[in-house]
């Protein structure tokens, strides 16, 4: 699995277009055994030149949040 024929994008739509842009993809891809996976849905957040990591603990169903700048700016 390493070529363009191993992923099929069935649908792409913009679900939000404001400060951030959120796109929803419906896609399927080949497994290592060559069979196709069922369709899955994934969201992509586009913000330009930035990087983000979301720390998620599935056992606690919790994420880590950090305040990046003073709320007086909001």
């Amino acid at each position: 699995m390493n070529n363009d024929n191993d992923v099929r994008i069935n649908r792409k739509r913009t679900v939000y277009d404001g400060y951030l842009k959120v796109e929803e993809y419906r896609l399927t891809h080949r497994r290592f055994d060559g069979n196709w996976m069922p369709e899955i849905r994934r969201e992509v957040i586009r913000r330009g030149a930035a990087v983000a990591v979301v720390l998620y603990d599935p056992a606690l169903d919790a994420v880590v949040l950090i305040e990046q700048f003073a709320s007086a700016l909001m």
Side-chain angles (χ1 to χ4, degrees):
M1 181 172 136
N2 272 339
N3 67 53
D4 293 339
N5 296 324
D6 292 330
V7 176
R8 292 182 188 152
I9 298 174
N10 302 328
R11 180 177 166 197
K12 174 188 166 188
R13 71 182 180 109
T14 301
V15 295
Y16 180 76
D17 194 1
Y19 180 71
L20 302 171
K21 184 175 188 175
V22 180
E23 297 169 339
E24 177 190 77
Y25 288 82
R26 301 276 179 145
L27 61 106
T28 186
H29 63 86
R30 283 193 200 273
R31 297 184 219 190
F32 290 108
D33 66 6
N35 292 317
W36 287 92
M37 291 287 294
E39 184 178 82
I40 57 174
R41 185 184 82 182
R42 294 291 182 262
E43 294 82 26
V44 175
I45 300 172
R46 301 204 185 268
R47 191 212 169 277
V51 174
V53 174
V54 178
L55 301 175
Y56 174 69
D57 184 338
L60 297 175
D61 191 28
V63 296
V64 176
L65 299 177
I66 299 172
E67 185 174 351
Q68 191 171 359
F69 45 83
S71 58
L73 299 175
M74 301 300 283

